[in-house]
Amino acid sequence: MKYILNLYLLGVVFTLLSILVRLVESLEGFFESPLPGSSSDTRGHLANTKLSKGLPDHPSRGVQ
């Protein structure tokens, strides 16, 4: 009987551990994603606009 109780408690511990790991992973992904309007987001947006402005507005070859 004691053996079965140990197995049951071991299963409960592993279940709680897996829930904790999933919670930490989801919180880690939440903190890694940039918030809207954050400085890193606006810097990336400014870099993208600079790259698009570097391209010529008209084609270099004539279209027939």
Side-chain angles (χ1 to χ4, degrees):
M1 186 69 184
K2 191 174 181 181
Y3 177 72
I4 294 174
L5 182 64
N6 283 341
L7 284 178
Y8 176 76
L9 290 176
L10 189 64
V12 169
V13 168
F14 279 129
T15 302
L16 292 175
L17 186 64
S18 68
I19 291 171
L20 182 67
V21 167
R22 287 185 184 185
L23 180 66
V24 168
E25 286 178 351
S26 65
L27 288 177
E28 183 179 307
F30 176 73
F31 285 123
E32 283 179 359
S33 64
L35 296 173
S38 66
S39 61
S40 62
D41 188 31
T42 54
R43 269 190 311 218
H45 182 65
L46 290 174
N48 288 340
T49 55
K50 286 180 184 176
L51 287 176
S52 64
K53 287 183 180 178
L55 297 174
D57 290 336
H58 55 84
S60 59
R61 297 179 186 171
V63 179
Q64 294 179 359

Coordinates of all heavy atoms in Angstrom, one line a residue:
M1 N 0.8 -1.2 0.0 CA 0.0 0.0 0.0 C 0.9 1.3 0.0 O 0.5 2.2 -0.7 CB -0.9 0.0 1.2 CG -1.9 1.1 1.3 SD -3.1 0.8 0.0 CE -4.1 2.3 0.2
K2 N 2.0 1.2 0.8 CA 2.9 2.4 0.8 C 3.5 2.6 -0.6 O 3.7 3.8 -0.9 CB 3.9 2.1 1.9 CG 4.7 3.3 2.2 CD 5.7 3.0 3.4 CE 6.4 4.3 3.7 NZ 7.4 4.0 4.8
Y3 N 3.8 1.6 -1.3 CA 4.4 1.7 -2.6 C 3.4 2.4 -3.6 O 3.8 3.3 -4.3 CB 4.7 0.3 -3.2 CG 5.2 0.3 -4.6 CD1 6.5 0.7 -4.8 CD2 4.5 -0.2 -5.6 CE1 7.0 0.7 -6.1 CE2 5.0 -0.3 -6.9 CZ 6.3 0.2 -7.1 OH 6.8 0.2 -8.4
I4 N 2.1 2.1 -3.5 CA 1.1 2.7 -4.4 C 1.0 4.2 -4.0 O 0.9 5.1 -4.9 CB -0.2 2.0 -4.3 CG1 -0.1 0.6 -4.9 CG2 -1.3 2.8 -5.0 CD1 -1.3 -0.3 -4.7
L5 N 1.0 4.5 -2.7 CA 0.9 5.9 -2.3 C 2.1 6.7 -2.8 O 2.0 7.8 -3.2 CB 0.8 5.9 -0.7 CG 0.7 7.3 -0.1 CD1 -0.6 8.0 -0.6 CD2 0.8 7.3 1.4
N6 N 3.3 6.1 -2.7 CA 4.5 6.8 -3.2 C 4.4 7.1 -4.7 O 4.8 8.1 -5.2 CB 5.8 6.0 -2.9 CG 6.2 6.1 -1.5 OD1 5.8 7.0 -0.8 ND2 7.0 5.1 -1.0
L7 N 3.9 6.1 -5.5 CA 3.7 6.3 -6.9 C 2.7 7.4 -7.2 O 2.9 8.2 -8.1 CB 3.2 5.0 -7.6 CG 4.3 4.0 -7.8 CD1 3.7 2.7 -8.4 CD2 5.4 4.5 -8.7
Y8 N 1.6 7.4 -6.4 CA 0.6 8.5 -6.5 C 1.2 9.8 -6.3 O 1.0 10.8 -7.0 CB -0.6 8.2 -5.6 CG -1.6 9.3 -5.6 CD1 -2.5 9.4 -6.7 CD2 -1.7 10.2 -4.6 CE1 -3.5 10.3 -6.7 CE2 -2.7 11.2 -4.6 CZ -3.6 11.2 -5.7 OH -4.5 12.2 -5.7
L9 N 1.9 10.0 -5.2 CA 2.5 11.3 -4.8 C 3.6 11.7 -5.9 O 3.7 12.9 -6.2 CB 3.2 11.2 -3.4 CG 2.2 11.1 -2.3 CD1 2.9 10.9 -1.0 CD2 1.3 12.3 -2.3
L10 N 4.3 10.7 -6.4 CA 5.3 11.0 -7.5 C 4.5 11.5 -8.7 O 5.0 12.5 -9.4 CB 6.0 9.7 -7.8 CG 7.2 9.9 -8.8 CD1 8.3 10.8 -8.1 CD2 7.8 8.6 -9.1
G11 N 3.4 11.0 -9.1 CA 2.6 11.5 -10.2 C 2.1 12.9 -9.9 O 2.1 13.7 -10.9
V12 N 1.6 13.1 -8.7 CA 1.2 14.5 -8.4 C 2.3 15.5 -8.5 O 2.1 16.6 -9.1 CB 0.6 14.5 -7.0 CG1 0.3 15.9 -6.5 CG2 -0.7 13.7 -6.9
V13 N 3.5 15.1 -8.0 CA 4.6 16.0 -8.1 C 5.0 16.3 -9.5 O 5.3 17.5 -9.9 CB 5.8 15.5 -7.3 CG1 7.1 16.2 -7.6 CG2 5.5 15.5 -5.8
F14 N 5.0 15.3 -10.4 CA 5.4 15.5 -11.8 C 4.3 16.3 -12.5 O 4.6 17.2 -13.4 CB 5.6 14.2 -12.5 CG 6.9 13.6 -12.3 CD1 7.1 12.3 -11.9 CD2 8.1 14.3 -12.5 CE1 8.3 11.7 -11.7 CE2 9.3 13.8 -12.3 CZ 9.5 12.5 -11.9
T15 N 3.1 16.1 -12.2 CA 2.0 16.9 -12.8 C 2.2 18.4 -12.4 O 2.1 19.3 -13.3 CB 0.6 16.4 -12.3 OG1 0.5 15.1 -12.7 CG2 -0.5 17.2 -12.9
L16 N 2.4 18.7 -11.1 CA 2.6 20.1 -10.7 C 3.8 20.7 -11.3 O 3.8 21.9 -11.7 CB 2.7 20.1 -9.1 CG 1.4 19.8 -8.4 CD1 1.6 19.8 -6.9 CD2 0.3 20.8 -8.8
L17 N 4.9 19.9 -11.4 CA 6.1 20.4 -12.1 C 5.9 20.7 -13.5 O 6.3 21.8 -14.0 CB 7.2 19.3 -11.9 CG 8.6 19.7 -12.4 CD1 9.1 20.9 -11.5 CD2 9.5 18.5 -12.3
S18 N 5.1 19.9 -14.3 CA 4.9 20.2 -15.7 C 4.0 21.4 -15.8 O 4.2 22.2 -16.7 CB 4.2 19.0 -16.4 OG 2.9 18.8 -15.9
I19 N 3.0 21.6 -14.9 CA 2.2 22.8 -15.0 C 3.1 24.1 -14.7 O 2.9 25.1 -15.4 CB 1.1 22.7 -13.9 CG1 0.1 21.7 -14.4 CG2 0.4 24.1 -13.8 CD1 -1.0 21.3 -13.4
L20 N 4.0 24.0 -13.7 CA 4.9 25.1 -13.4 C 5.8 25.4 -14.6 O 6.0 26.6 -14.9 CB 5.7 24.7 -12.2 CG 6.6 25.8 -11.7 CD1 5.9 27.0 -11.2 CD2 7.6 25.3 -10.6
V21 N 6.3 24.4 -15.3 CA 7.2 24.6 -16.4 C 6.4 25.3 -17.5 O 6.9 26.3 -18.2 CB 7.8 23.3 -16.9 CG1 8.5 23.5 -18.2 CG2 8.8 22.8 -15.9
R22 N 5.2 24.9 -17.8 CA 4.4 25.5 -18.9 C 4.0 26.9 -18.5 O 4.0 27.8 -19.4 CB 3.1 24.7 -19.1 CG 3.4 23.4 -19.8 CD 2.1 22.7 -20.1 NE 2.3 21.4 -20.7 CZ 1.4 20.6 -21.2 NH1 0.1 21.0 -21.1 NH2 1.7 19.5 -21.7
L23 N 3.8 27.2 -17.3 CA 3.5 28.6 -16.8 C 4.7 29.5 -17.0 O 4.6 30.6 -17.5 CB 3.0 28.5 -15.4 CG 2.6 29.9 -14.8 CD1 1.4 30.5 -15.5 CD2 2.4 29.7 -13.3
V24 N 5.8 29.0 -16.6 CA 7.1 29.8 -16.8 C 7.4 30.0 -18.3 O 7.7 31.1 -18.7 CB 8.2 29.1 -16.1 CG1 9.6 29.7 -16.5 CG2 8.1 29.1 -14.6
E25 N 7.2 29.0 -19.1 CA 7.4 29.2 -20.5 C 6.4 30.2 -21.1 O 6.8 31.0 -22.0 CB 7.3 27.9 -21.3 CG 8.5 27.0 -21.0 CD 8.3 25.6 -21.7 OE1 7.2 25.3 -22.2 OE2 9.3 24.8 -21.7
S26 N 5.2 30.2 -20.7 CA 4.2 31.2 -21.3 C 4.5 32.6 -20.8 O 4.4 33.5 -21.5 CB 2.8 30.8 -20.9 OG 2.6 30.8 -19.5
L27 N 5.0 32.7 -19.5 CA 5.3 34.0 -19.0 C 6.6 34.5 -19.7 O 6.7 35.7 -20.0 CB 5.5 34.0 -17.5 CG 4.3 33.8 -16.7 CD1 4.6 33.7 -15.2 CD2 3.3 35.0 -16.9
E28 N 7.5 33.6 -20.0 CA 8.7 34.0 -20.7 C 8.4 34.5 -22.1 O 9.0 35.5 -22.5 CB 9.7 32.8 -20.8 CG 11.0 33.1 -21.4 CD 11.9 31.8 -21.4 OE1 12.0 31.2 -20.4 OE2 12.3 31.5 -22.5
G29 N 7.5 33.9 -22.8 CA 7.1 34.4 -24.1 C 6.4 35.7 -24.0 O 6.5 36.5 -24.9
F30 N 5.6 35.9 -23.0 CA 4.9 37.1 -22.8 C 5.9 38.3 -22.6 O 5.7 39.4 -23.1 CB 4.0 37.0 -21.6 CG 3.2 38.3 -21.3 CD1 2.2 38.7 -22.1 CD2 3.6 39.0 -20.2 CE1 1.5 39.9 -21.8 CE2 2.9 40.2 -19.9 CZ 1.9 40.6 -20.7
F31 N 6.9 38.1 -21.8 CA 7.9 39.1 -21.5 C 8.8 39.4 -22.7 O 9.3 40.5 -22.9 CB 8.7 38.8 -20.3 CG 7.9 39.0 -19.0 CD1 7.8 38.0 -18.1 CD2 7.3 40.2 -18.7 CE1 7.1 38.1 -17.0 CE2 6.6 40.4 -17.6 CZ 6.5 39.3 -16.7
E32 N 9.0 38.4 -23.6 CA 9.9 38.6 -24.7 C 9.2 39.4 -25.8 O 9.8 40.1 -26.6 CB 10.3 37.2 -25.3 CG 11.4 36.6 -24.5 CD 11.8 35.2 -25.0 OE1 11.2 34.8 -26.1 OE2 12.7 34.6 -24.5
S33 N 7.9 39.3 -26.0 CA 7.2 40.0 -27.0 C 7.2 41.5 -26.6 O 6.8 41.8 -25.5 CB 5.8 39.5 -27.2 OG 5.0 39.7 -26.0
P34 N 7.5 42.4 -27.6 CA 7.6 43.8 -27.2 C 6.2 44.4 -27.1 O 5.2 43.9 -27.8 CB 8.3 44.4 -28.4 CG 8.1 43.5 -29.5 CD 8.0 42.1 -28.9
L35 N 6.0 45.3 -26.2 CA 4.7 45.9 -26.0 C 4.5 47.0 -27.1 O 5.4 47.5 -27.6 CB 4.7 46.6 -24.6 CG 4.8 45.7 -23.4 CD1 5.0 46.6 -22.2 CD2 3.6 44.8 -23.3
P36 N 3.2 47.2 -27.5 CA 3.0 48.2 -28.5 C 3.4 49.6 -28.1 O 3.1 50.0 -27.0 CB 1.4 48.1 -28.7 CG 1.0 46.9 -28.0 CD 2.1 46.5 -27.1
G37 N 4.1 50.3 -28.9 CA 4.6 51.6 -28.6 C 5.8 51.7 -27.7 O 6.2 52.7 -27.3
S38 N 6.5 50.5 -27.5 CA 7.7 50.5 -26.8 C 8.8 51.1 -27.6 O 8.7 51.2 -28.8 CB 8.1 49.1 -26.3 OG 8.4 48.3 -27.4
S39 N 9.9 51.4 -27.0 CA 11.0 52.1 -27.7 C 11.7 51.1 -28.8 O 12.0 51.6 -29.8 CB 12.1 52.5 -26.7 OG 12.6 51.4 -26.0
S40 N 11.8 49.8 -28.5 CA 12.3 48.9 -29.4 C 11.4 48.8 -30.6 O 11.9 48.6 -31.8 CB 12.6 47.5 -28.8 OG 11.4 47.0 -28.4
D41 N 10.1 48.8 -30.4 CA 9.2 48.7 -31.5 C 9.2 49.9 -32.4 O 9.2 49.8 -33.6 CB 7.7 48.6 -31.0 CG 6.7 48.2 -32.0 OD1 7.1 47.6 -33.0 OD2 5.6 48.6 -31.9
T42 N 9.3 51.1 -31.8 CA 9.4 52.3 -32.7 C 10.7 52.4 -33.4 O 10.8 52.9 -34.5 CB 9.2 53.6 -31.8 OG1 10.1 53.6 -30.7 CG2 7.8 53.6 -31.2
R43 N 11.8 51.9 -32.7 CA 13.1 51.9 -33.4 C 13.0 51.0 -34.7 O 13.5 51.4 -35.7 CB 14.2 51.4 -32.5 CG 14.8 52.5 -31.7 CD 16.1 52.0 -31.0 NE 15.7 50.8 -30.3 CZ 16.1 50.4 -29.1 NH1 17.0 51.2 -28.5 NH2 15.7 49.3 -28.6
G44 N 12.4 49.8 -34.5 CA 12.3 48.9 -35.6 C 11.4 49.5 -36.7 O 11.7 49.4 -37.9
H45 N 10.4 50.3 -36.3 CA 9.5 50.9 -37.3 C 10.3 52.0 -38.1 O 10.2 52.1 -39.3 CB 8.3 51.5 -36.6 CG 7.3 52.1 -37.6 ND1 6.7 51.4 -38.5 CD2 6.9 53.4 -37.7 CE1 5.9 52.2 -39.2 NE2 6.0 53.4 -38.8
L46 N 11.1 52.8 -37.4 CA 11.9 53.8 -38.0 C 12.9 53.2 -39.0 O 13.1 53.8 -40.0 CB 12.5 54.7 -37.0 CG 11.6 55.6 -36.1 CD1 12.4 56.3 -35.1 CD2 10.9 56.6 -37.0
A47 N 13.5 52.1 -38.5 CA 14.5 51.5 -39.4 C 13.8 51.0 -40.7 O 14.4 51.1 -41.8 CB 15.2 50.3 -38.7
N48 N 12.6 50.4 -40.6 CA 11.9 50.0 -41.8 C 11.5 51.1 -42.7 O 11.6 51.0 -43.9 CB 10.6 49.2 -41.3 CG 11.0 47.9 -40.7 OD1 12.0 47.3 -40.9 ND2 10.0 47.3 -40.0
T49 N 11.1 52.2 -42.1 CA 10.8 53.4 -43.0 C 12.0 53.9 -43.7 O 12.0 54.3 -44.8 CB 10.1 54.5 -42.2 OG1 10.9 54.9 -41.1 CG2 8.7 54.0 -41.7
K50 N 13.2 53.9 -43.0 CA 14.4 54.4 -43.6 C 14.8 53.5 -44.8 O 15.2 54.0 -45.8 CB 15.5 54.5 -42.6 CG 15.4 55.6 -41.6 CD 16.5 55.6 -40.7 CE 16.4 56.7 -39.6 NZ 17.4 56.7 -38.6
L51 N 14.6 52.2 -44.6 CA 15.0 51.3 -45.7 C 14.0 51.5 -46.9 O 14.5 51.5 -48.0 CB 14.9 49.8 -45.2 CG 16.0 49.4 -44.3 CD1 15.7 48.0 -43.8 CD2 17.3 49.4 -44.9
S52 N 12.8 51.7 -46.6 CA 11.8 51.8 -47.8 C 12.1 53.2 -48.5 O 11.8 53.3 -49.7 CB 10.4 51.7 -47.3 OG 10.1 52.8 -46.4
K53 N 12.5 54.2 -47.7 CA 12.7 55.5 -48.4 C 14.0 55.5 -49.2 O 14.2 56.3 -50.0 CB 12.8 56.6 -47.3 CG 11.5 56.9 -46.7 CD 11.6 58.1 -45.7 CE 10.2 58.4 -45.1 NZ 10.3 59.4 -44.1
G54 N 14.9 54.5 -48.9 CA 16.2 54.4 -49.6 C 16.0 54.0 -51.1 O 16.8 54.1 -51.9
L55 N 14.8 53.3 -51.3 CA 14.6 52.8 -52.7 C 14.1 54.0 -53.6 O 13.4 54.9 -53.1 CB 13.5 51.7 -52.6 CG 13.8 50.5 -51.8 CD1 12.6 49.6 -51.7 CD2 15.0 49.8 -52.4
P56 N 14.4 53.9 -54.8 CA 14.0 55.0 -55.7 C 12.5 55.0 -55.9 O 11.8 53.9 -55.9 CB 14.7 54.7 -57.0 CG 15.0 53.3 -57.0 CD 15.2 52.9 -55.5
D57 N 11.9 56.2 -56.1 CA 10.4 56.2 -56.2 C 10.0 55.9 -57.6 O 8.9 55.4 -57.9 CB 10.0 57.7 -56.0 CG 10.1 58.0 -54.5 OD1 10.1 57.1 -53.7 OD2 10.2 59.2 -54.1
H58 N 10.9 56.0 -58.6 CA 10.6 55.7 -60.0 C 11.5 54.6 -60.4 O 12.6 54.4 -60.0 CB 10.7 56.9 -60.9 CG 12.1 57.5 -60.8 ND1 13.1 57.0 -61.5 CD2 12.6 58.5 -60.1 CE1 14.2 57.7 -61.3 NE2 13.9 58.6 -60.4
P59 N 11.0 53.7 -61.4 CA 11.9 52.6 -61.9 C 13.0 53.2 -62.7 O 12.9 54.2 -63.4 CB 10.9 51.8 -62.7 CG 9.8 52.7 -63.1 CD 9.7 53.7 -62.0
S60 N 14.2 52.6 -62.5 CA 15.4 53.0 -63.2 C 15.3 52.7 -64.7 O 15.9 53.4 -65.5 CB 16.6 52.4 -62.6 OG 16.5 51.0 -62.7
R61 N 14.5 51.7 -65.1 CA 14.3 51.4 -66.5 C 13.0 51.8 -67.0 O 12.0 51.7 -66.2 CB 14.5 49.8 -66.7 CG 15.8 49.3 -66.3 CD 15.9 47.8 -66.6 NE 17.2 47.3 -66.1 CZ 17.4 46.0 -65.9 NH1 16.5 45.1 -66.3 NH2 18.6 45.6 -65.5
G62 N 12.9 52.2 -68.2 CA 11.6 52.7 -68.7 C 10.7 51.5 -68.9 O 11.1 50.5 -69.4
V63 N 9.4 51.7 -68.6 CA 8.4 50.6 -68.8 C 7.7 50.9 -70.1 O 7.3 52.0 -70.3 CB 7.4 50.6 -67.6 CG1 6.4 49.5 -67.9 CG2 8.1 50.4 -66.3
Q64 N 7.6 49.9 -71.0 CA 7.0 50.1 -72.3 C 5.7 49.5 -72.4 O 5.4 48.6 -71.8 CB 7.9 49.5 -73.4 CG 9.3 50.3 -73.5 CD 10.1 49.6 -74.5 OE1 9.7 48.7 -75.2 NE2 11.3 50.2 -74.7

